[in-house]
Each structure stands twice: as C-alpha cells, then as structure tokens.
Amino acid sequence: MDCGACAGKVRGAVERLPGVEGVEVALMAERLRLTLDESRTSTDRVETAVRAIGFGISAKGAAPEKPKGGFVLPDGAFPAEPAPRPAEEVTPPAWHATSKGRLLLGTGALLAAAWAVHLVFSEQVAQWAFILATLIGLFPVARRALAMARAGMPFTIEMLMTIAAGGALFIGAAEEAALVVFLFAVGEMLEGLASSKARDGIRALARLVPKTALLESGGRTREVPADSLRIGQVVLVRPGDRVPADGEVIDGISGVDESPVTGESVPSLKEPGAEVFAGSINAEAALRVRVTKRAEDNTIARIVRLVEEAETARAPTERFIDRFSRVYMPAVVGAALLVAIVPPLGFGQAWGEWTYRALALLLIGCPCALVISVPAAIASALSAGARNGFLMKGGAVIEAAARITHVAFDKTGTLTHGRPRVTDVVPSAGAEVLALAAGVEAGASHPLGKAILARAEEDGVTVPAATSARAIPGKGAEGVIDGAVVTVGSPRLAEEAGVLSDRDRAQVEALEREGKTVVIVWREAAPLGLIALRDEPRADAADAVRQLRGMGITPIMLTGDNARAAAAIAGGLDIEYRAGLLPADKVSEVQKLGRGAQVMVVGDGINDAPALAVADVGVAMGSGTDVALETAHAAILRNRVGDVPGKIRLARATMANIRQNVAIALGLKGVFLVTTIFGITGLWIAILADTGATVLVTLNALRLLGFRPGREGRAKMPRRVETAAAAT
C-alpha cells in the first residue's frame, strides 16, 4: 500500500462483507485487522476480497505475498525476484523490481517506441503506435478499476484514469493519452518510494534488536536466536554488542548507549541491579544480563507495536477528509459530465473540445493528495516521535496534544526522580520501627516503600515476614506481623486512625517544612514512630516548566503529598500545586481544569492511572508502571520532564504540516480546475498536477522524520532535511 487511498480501498473491500466489523487498516505497517463472524463469512472470502482489488495478503508473521497480475509484460522481461525470506527478514525490493516499477518501465518503453515510430513512419502509423502504447499501459489500470467497481468502489483514481485515457483515444488525442498513462505510472512509483521512506523509521526500530545472543548455559556460552530467549536466562553482552533482550545487569560495570531506544545521547552507567534495554549498545566492558522480558514484550517490540497500532487510531481531521472525499469524488464526476455536455448542447460549442476539458477535469479532480495529506503526516510524526523517545497512540492523540493549554504533573517519579531516600527515623517505642515498616512494604512498587526497604537493607535490619499485606491507595499499606496488624501510612491516615499525639504532630510539621514526606508507623492503635523521606526534583524539571510557560501553557503539580512538602518542591520549580490528593481527588482536579481547557496529565504510578485516563491526553513516564503505560494515551521513554514540551512541539509541528498539506492539495487543484475549464491546461498537465500534488504532500510530510525537539518552540530539522524541503 502506497497511500491513504490504498488503505481506504482495502477497508472498503472487506467492510462490505457480512459478519465483518471493526476494520482497521494500518498503512505504514501494511496490516489488516478486523472482527469476523466466521458463520457468515470465512477468512478465505476476506482474503479473496483483498486479492480481487490487486493487493497481496498473508497471515501475520508469514512472508509477504506478491500480488498477482501487477503488470502485463511476459515473465522473463525483467530479472526474476529472489524467493521471499521470512517476514522479519524481508527488505523492500528495489523500485524497478516492484509491480509499479515494472509498470513505469513498461509504459516508458512503449511511449518511447511510439515516439520512435512517429519520427520514422507516417502520422497515421504513429497514431496507431500511440493507441497501442496507451491500451497496453492502461490495461492493468483498467483491470484494477473494474475490480474496485465490482467491490462497490466505482469512484477511484484508476477509474478516472481509465475514463480519461479511453476518452482521449475516442476524441483522437492518442499521443496525449499515452503520455498521461506514463505520467500516471510515474506518480504511482513516486508514491511508492515516498511511502517506503516513511516506513524506514519503523523498519529501523525493528532492526535494532540483534538476531542472535550469547546464552550462558552450564558454564559455557553458545549463540542462540535472540527471540528464543526466556525470562531468567543469562546472556553475555560483549563491548560493542547490542543488548539482545530487556534485562537486569547481574555482573559487570559499563557505559551503555541507549540512544537507539530512548534518544538519550549520553551513555548511561550500568552496574549490577541496573535495567538495560534490548537494542542498546554496550560501549565499554562485558556485562552479564539476566533476561526479564520475552522478545515480544521488550521495549523495542512495545514501541513498534504501539506505533503500528497508533496508525489505526485515525485523527478526527483524517476521518473528516475521508468522509469529504466520498462526496467529493462523485461531485467531480458530475461536474465533468456537465462540462462535457452543457456547452455543446446549450451553447453549440464543439463536442471534442469540451469532452477533452471534461476528461482533464476528471484527472485534476482526483483527491489522492488530499486523502494522503493527514495519514502521511501522522505516520511520519509517529516514527519521528518513536526515535526521540516519544510515543503517541494515534492521530487523535496528536491532534489533542497540539491543543493542550494546561499540563498537570504528578510529583513523585515525574517532577522528581521517584527515588526518595529515608532521611530520618524517629522511633517512639524502641528501634523496631524501621524493621516493621520494611516488613509491611516488602515487595512494594511505590517509591516510598522501596526507599524504606533500601534503608533497612543498608542498615542491615532483619525484616520480619508479613502476611495479608495490602496497599491502601493514596494513603499507605498494612500487613499482619506476629499476629498484629502493622500500618505504614500518611499523617492523614494516622489522624483518621486516631494514633497521632501532639508531639507527633509537631515533629511531622517540622519535617514537612523541610520539604520531607513523613509516614507514620503504628501497630494496632499504638504508634511506633515515624519515618521521613525526601525526593529531589529532576534536573530538567524547572527548565521544562519554563518552556511550557513560554509556549503559552499553564503547568500545575498534583500530588498526594502533604502541602508543606509539595510547597517546597513547587517553590523551586515555580509551579502551581494541589496537595494531599487521593487518586479520586486527582481525577476531580483534572475534570475541573478541563472545563474550558485542554489538559495533559503526566504521571508514572498506578495511582495516576485514573487521572491519565480522564485527561484529554495522558502521558506516562517510561519508568512508570505497566498500568500507567497501558492507560495513558502517550509515553515518554527517557524519563525527562523536558520531553513533555518536546512532545507538544511535535504535535503542533504535525498539525501545521497537515494544514500545509491540505493547502497544497486544495490550492493546486483549485488553480488547475479553473485553468482546465477555460482550456488553458490539458490532460497531461492535469495528471502531472495531480501527481505533483500527491508527491509534494508526501515529501512535506516526510520532513517530520527530521524533527528534533528544540527549545525555541519549533521543530529543529537537520540541515539536509531543510535543504531538501527548500528544493522541493
């Protein structure tokens, strides 16, 4: 598939079948997904419908199927293509080896031969040569047009092309008809090349993960396929090798270049216990890595899957243009019919001249450029975003992100590192407060719980086993230790339980004024003491807040932390805040902000998932929980707050690109519709204008592949991309 019209043809061919629902066609991924009632329509019938309109189709994971009847030249006219390799290893063929490439070469050769005949023989013989060239070159186009018509889609570019070229032959413009067929083949070929270029970004992501890995087994290493690795296995990653799977370093210290995955240019130091991503490059020393995720679940695979799935979530603008084109095409055909018959019948004009203008009008009226203007830009933006560590789940998310007026940040793990450290342990009943708190928090995923466990391990504290442990969302956790319920909770939860004394309140207030978060530990109704923790802001948080303000966006911090600790963080970042919020309270705050505004929520924890879901755009930090990542509309892989304004800049640049594309498509068509009706331009100019508009729109969309998140409020493009765009 080469453009949005191709995806529309596949969608139209199968959604008319009985028992077919939820049809999704991804242009860049070239994937068809649907819900099928097999009691009404078989899978074979679906595949037959797709093949009938000239596309190949094969099961997921199988080698691509070559569509039949791509061109009419006999076998052997061009070098044979090699047998296809497995799907994951297939690379796109050279342009001249594709069916459209062969159509271009064949029609070009026929046109050249006809011109040669024109130079050597008489005008009449040359006329027949041009007719023959037109008919042979038009045959595969007409066949596709008829197939589309049988599938219930009569108004396609192939049908318009067939009518225009056939009509030109009918009125005696054979040379021009042959040239139009050739220019149509040129346009089809250019569309294919442009789409292949747009797919390169996704292909490059998929190729980041190495095909093989060095698996340690029985004290020896052996080379195995990377996709065969299982969770718990240990692999050796030598200096210069790519990491074959997501995992945890168990031995070795080395700098790892994660730029292929996250876009972060500075190598990250990896020590035992550190997480590494598949596709990142080990730069310095050998590492032994324990596999923590299967091949299909690693970071790269998730990125590719999200980008591919995002394509099917069509933007509102794209859906509108799709609906518009369905009305526009019949309207153009109707207008061309009126141009052909009204002047001759009503005003005595020449039939041949106005038929010619009507045929040119058919060609210039084709909406290909308009149809591809949105999906081409969206696909380029998704690919560019993935390379920069931004993931957005579809065009609708990009449109919403471009309109954002407020950004609400979670504090812990988002504006801060999410790795608080215990600063104070204040026991009120012996020294067991840290041990009991660690026992309750054993296995916790919350940053505060992890910090308590880390301090207990650091101090060599023996942690007792807890049973019936459970989290109290937004408030704390509890568990049974030695037959008694031990609770680790916020001062608010302690107040509700009635276990805080005046002395405890004074200590809590003093610690909170220092920007610390305080948790209370009690057993049954007896207070055991308190633990204070502090989490420092990320280095780029203040700069990100300044960037958002410079873009006209209002930042705000939403946190379940106490007001004093929140004020200490917010003051350093110059950001408004709302403190003491439970998950439900965050949802309410987002809903309040959303009255008359477009709100983006950025968070990383399970507690943030409800707010992420209710926001216009929910963004999960890459280090966040799987729940947050799945609930969110978008994700940031580099854990950098500065990527939030970068994501919004990309969305705004994409929408600007779409507006430019629509202007190019409609502007060129408007000009040439007028010049065609007045007889200034003819058939070959019409097809050239239509092809040119499609190519210009596609090339303009491809500029987004060079997006770099800058701080000046615009997309930074590499010099080579800017130069190419200027030349275009």
Side-chain angles (χ1 to χ4, degrees):
M1 297 189 293
D2 296 325
C3 68
C6 294
K9 291 169 186 173
V10 174
R11 188 183 304 112
V14 298
E15 66 185 2
R16 289 174 169 78
L17 298 175
V20 172
E21 296 178 353
V23 179
E24 297 176 358
V25 183
L27 173 64
M28 292 297 109
E30 298 181 300
R31 187 193 67 235
L32 167 65
R33 177 183 293 165
L34 52 85
T35 301
L36 179 66
D37 180 357
E38 294 194 60
S39 65
R40 302 175 66 189
T41 297
S42 66
T43 55
D44 288 342
R45 188 176 173 189
V46 172
E47 294 178 7
T48 299
V50 174
R51 292 189 180 100
I53 57 173
F55 294 96
I57 183 169
S58 55
K60 180 180 178 181
E65 176 182 284
K66 177 183 174 183
K68 296 180 180 179
F71 190 52
V72 296
L73 288 183
D75 290 340
F78 292 96
E81 297 179 46
R85 292 173 288 171
E88 67 276 5
E89 298 180 14
V90 169
T91 55
W95 69 270
H96 55 77
T98 64
S99 60
K100 291 187 177 182
R102 292 175 177 179
L103 176 63
L104 173 61
L105 294 174
T107 53
L110 291 168
L111 182 61
W115 272 332
V117 170
H118 180 66
L119 292 174
V120 176
F121 298 98
S122 67
E123 187 73 26
Q124 186 175 7
V125 174
Q127 185 78 354
W128 282 108
F130 284 118
I131 291 173
L132 184 62
T134 301
L135 291 176
I136 295 176
L138 190 62
F139 180 78
V141 179
R143 184 168 56 184
R144 291 205 305 271
L146 291 174
M148 299 292 180
R150 285 196 297 268
M153 294 174 284
F155 299 106
T156 61
I157 178 58
E158 288 84 2
M159 182 61 76
L160 298 186
M161 181 66 203
T162 301
I163 294 172
L169 290 179
F170 180 75
I171 62 176
E175 182 176 357
E176 200 161 359
L179 181 59
V180 165
V181 171
F182 172 70
L183 290 176
F184 175 77
V186 171
E188 292 277 283
M189 189 67 253
L190 289 175
E191 284 182 11
L193 291 175
S195 297
S196 179
K197 176 68 175 176
R199 289 188 182 102
D200 282 346
I202 298 176
R203 292 192 190 111
L205 278 175
R207 287 194 294 264
L208 284 176
V209 180
K211 300 298 181 187
T212 60
L214 292 176
L215 175 66
E216 291 191 355
S217 178
R220 302 176 62 185
T221 59
R222 58 188 176 92
E223 191 171 76
V224 299
D227 57 9
S228 70
L229 294 175
R230 297 292 176 261
I231 295 174
Q233 291 183 324
V234 176
V235 294
L236 175 66
V237 186
R238 300 168 300 190
D241 286 354
R242 288 187 182 270
V243 179
D246 281 11
E248 178 185 351
V249 176
I250 59 174
D251 186 36
I253 300 175
S254 179
V256 174
D257 177 6
E258 296 181 336
S259 60
V261 183
T262 66
E264 181 60 68
S265 59
V266 179
S268 177
L269 181 66
K270 300 297 182 181
E271 301 176 301
E275 181 183 19
V276 290
F277 300 124
S280 55
I281 303 168
N282 183 19
E284 298 169 0
L287 295 174
R288 295 176 65 236
V289 176
R290 178 184 293 112
V291 177
T292 57
K293 290 182 181 177
R294 296 178 299 173
E296 57 268 30
D297 296 326
N298 68 42
T299 304
I300 294 291
R302 291 178 70 183
I303 292 173
V304 172
R305 190 160 57 245
L306 284 171
V307 171
E308 290 180 347
E309 290 176 355
E311 277 193 83
T312 61
R314 295 195 293 165
T317 303
E318 182 181 357
R319 290 196 294 269
F320 169 76
I321 289 177
D322 189 43
R323 292 194 301 270
F324 172 75
S325 66
R326 293 179 185 179
V327 178
Y328 172 82
M329 285 282 277
V332 167
V333 174
L337 185 61
L338 291 176
V339 167
I341 64 175
V342 170
L345 290 179
F347 304 97
Q349 300 291 314
W351 280 97
E353 178 183 348
W354 286 97
T355 300
Y356 179 87
R357 295 184 187 183
L359 295 174
L361 184 63
L362 278 179
L363 294 179
I364 197 63
C366 176
C368 281
L370 186 62
V371 170
I372 200 176
S373 59
V374 178
I378 295 296
S380 294
L382 293 172
S383 180
R387 287 210 307 271
N388 284 283
F390 314 151
L391 293 180
M392 289 178 277
K393 298 180 181 179
V397 175
I398 292 176
E399 283 202 28
R403 298 193 300 266
I404 289 301
T405 59
H406 291 69
V407 176
F409 291 97
D410 171 52
K411 180 178 78 72
T412 304
T414 303
L415 288 174
T416 64
H417 288 284
R419 295 190 296 272
R421 296 181 61 84
V422 174
T423 58
D424 303 87
V425 179
V426 185
S428 57
E432 61 179 345
V433 58
L434 183 60
L436 292 174
V440 172
E441 297 287 2
S445 60
H446 193 279
L448 296 182
K450 290 183 177 179
I452 291 172
L453 288 167
R455 177 60 181 269
E457 182 179 355
E458 182 182 323
D459 291 355
V461 173
T462 301
V463 178
T467 59
S468 303
R470 72 179 185 92
I472 306 173
K475 296 182 179 181
E478 67 179 17
V480 178
I481 298 177
D482 294 332
V485 177
V486 177
T487 305
V488 181
S490 65
R492 175 196 282 188
L493 184 61
E495 285 281 11
E496 293 173 0
V499 299
L500 273 187
S501 65
D502 291 340
R503 176 173 171 272
D504 291 333
R505 291 189 187 93
Q507 286 181 320
V508 168
E509 289 180 8
L511 291 167
E512 288 180 348
R513 278 195 296 270
E514 298 175 14
K516 298 174 181 177
T517 300
V518 182
V519 296
I520 316 299
V521 184
W522 68 93
R523 180 167 45 200
E524 302 297 349
L528 302 176
L530 56 87
I531 299 173
L533 309 95
R534 182 161 52 202
D535 186 13
E536 297 300 326
R538 294 182 186 271
D540 65 334
D543 183 59
V545 170
R546 283 194 294 271
Q547 288 186 55
L548 289 171
R549 292 193 188 281
M551 296 166 66
I553 296 171
T554 302
I556 186 171
M557 182 176 76
L558 305 180
T559 178
D561 221 336
N562 65 84
R564 296 184 189 89
I569 296 294
L573 300 178
D574 188 26
I575 187 174
E576 297 179 36
Y577 69 92
R578 305 283 189 275
L581 302 178
L582 298 175
D585 299 326
K586 289 185 179 181
V587 171
S588 298
E589 286 293 333
V590 172
Q591 290 172 334
K592 289 178 186 176
L593 288 172
R595 294 168 188 164
Q598 295 290 311
V599 183
M600 173 183 285
V601 173
V602 186
D604 74 316
I606 293 176
N607 290 345
D608 302 319
L612 292 173
V614 79
D616 293 293
V617 179
V619 179
M621 299 291 277
S623 61
T625 63
D626 286 343
V627 174
L629 288 170
E630 294 302 323
T631 304
H633 308 102
I636 290 172
L637 298 181
R638 294 189 290 193
N639 294 322
R640 285 172 42 175
V641 187
D643 282 349
V644 174
K647 184 185 286 286
I648 296 174
R649 286 193 187 98
L650 174 58
R652 290 181 175 182
T654 304
M655 296 311 298
N657 191 281
I658 287 172
R659 288 190 291 270
Q660 294 163 6
N661 285 347
V662 172
I664 291 170
L666 294 181
L668 281 176
K669 290 189 181 302
V671 170
F672 283 98
L673 279 172
V674 174
T675 58
T676 299
I677 291 175
F678 284 98
I680 300 172
T681 53
L683 278 176
W684 73 272
I685 290 291
I687 190 64
L688 192 62
D690 176 66
T691 298
T694 303
V695 172
L696 281 176
V697 162
T698 305
L699 290 176
N700 188 48
L702 290 179
R703 292 193 310 118
L704 289 170
L705 292 173
F707 175 87
R708 296 293 180 271
R711 296 180 53 184
E712 292 77 20
R714 66 180 182 89
K716 288 187 175 179
M717 301 290 184
R719 183 175 300 275
R720 62 179 183 276
V721 176
E722 289 180 343
T723 303
T728 301

